[in-house]
């Protein structure tokens, strides 16, 4: 009997606490905000000079600090990296291969590592700057855009309303 009374009392408290008012009054409405890309954690451009690259055997790499890569991003978001063409304004998603070199990346909490690896263990000579763009995307935005081809920068830019 005591258990039934306790359950009934708890149910009564819940119903009276969360019930609607009789007059149907609503709270104040705030101003509309500007459209944006709140679920995109950030975009970061990096210009890497030829002298910035580190060497490990035949591999070239650079570690870049990026505080937008949080533990939440590591666990369930995504990081996309795109390399800007030196001859046009187009971007190509990493990883990709070009002129005998595999270009790739890895990421972890607060960092991004870009790697260059030759096909045939030859040495790599870097003579031009490399411009990359990292796009850090929350899990909710990734899920909200299921049809986006994340390897196509133009599609990602349009879907997430990114600005160049």
């Amino acid at each position: 009997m005591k258990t039934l009374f306790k359950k009934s009392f708890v149910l009564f408290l819940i119903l009276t606490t969360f019930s609607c008012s009789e007059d149907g009054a609503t709270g104040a409405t705030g101003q509309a905000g500007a459209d944006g890309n709140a679920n995109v954690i950030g975009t970061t451009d990096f210009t890497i000079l030829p002298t910035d690259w580190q060497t490990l055997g035949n591999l070239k790499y650079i570690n870049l600090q990026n505080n937008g890569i949080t533990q939440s991003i590591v666990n369930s978001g995504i990081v996309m990296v795109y390399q800007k063409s030196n001859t046009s304004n187009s971007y190509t998603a990493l990883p990709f291969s070009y002129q005998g070199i595999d270009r790739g990346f890895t990421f972890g909490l607060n960092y991004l590592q870009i790697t260059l690896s030759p096909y045939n263990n030859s040495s790599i000579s870097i003579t031009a700057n490399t411009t990359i763009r990292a796009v850090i995307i929350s899990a909710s935005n990734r899920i909200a855009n299921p049809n986006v081809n994340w390897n196509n920068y133009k599609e990602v830019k349009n879907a997430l309303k990114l600005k160049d």
Side-chain angles (χ1 to χ4, degrees):
M1 185 72 173
K2 287 182 184 181
T3 304
L4 180 59
F5 176 76
K6 285 180 185 178
K7 287 181 182 178
S8 298
F9 182 72
V10 170
L11 181 60
F12 172 77
L13 284 177
I14 291 171
L15 290 174
T16 57
T17 303
F18 295 107
S19 64
C20 297
S21 65
E22 288 182 27
D23 62 4
T26 60
T29 302
Q31 289 181 318
D35 288 341
N37 55 359
N39 290 324
V40 175
I41 303 302
T43 58
T44 307
D45 288 347
F46 296 96
T47 298
I48 306 167
L49 305 176
T51 55
D52 291 339
W53 294 96
Q54 302 293 313
T55 302
L56 180 63
N58 292 329
L59 178 78
K60 297 280 188 182
Y61 70 95
I62 185 166
N63 293 321
L64 304 167
Q65 181 174 347
N66 194 317
N67 294 334
I69 305 174
T70 62
Q71 192 62 52
S72 176
I73 294 297
V74 171
N75 292 345
S76 56
I78 58 174
V79 175
M80 292 300 302
V81 177
Y82 306 90
Q83 182 174 328
K84 185 176 183 183
S85 169
N86 286 336
T87 58
S88 71
N89 281 331
S90 64
Y91 287 86
T92 302
L94 272 65
F96 73 93
S97 298
Y98 180 69
Q99 294 183 336
I101 299 172
D102 290 327
R103 292 153 172 81
F105 75 98
T106 59
F107 67 92
L109 182 62
N110 298 322
Y111 82 91
L112 178 65
Q113 182 180 73
I114 309 299
T115 58
L116 305 176
S117 176
Y119 294 162
N120 58 5
N121 288 332
S122 61
S123 63
I124 299 173
S125 176
I126 302 170
T127 58
N129 293 350
T130 303
T131 301
I132 63 160
R133 173 167 288 174
V135 180
I136 303 165
I137 305 159
S138 68
S140 60
N141 208 349
R142 180 177 49 85
I143 292 166
N145 293 284
N147 298 320
V148 171
N149 175 359
W150 299 107
N151 291 315
N152 182 321
Y153 179 72
K154 285 183 181 178
E155 224 177 288
V156 171
K157 180 181 170 184
N158 289 335
L160 302 178
K161 299 176 183 147
L162 302 177
K163 297 182 184 353
D164 282 334

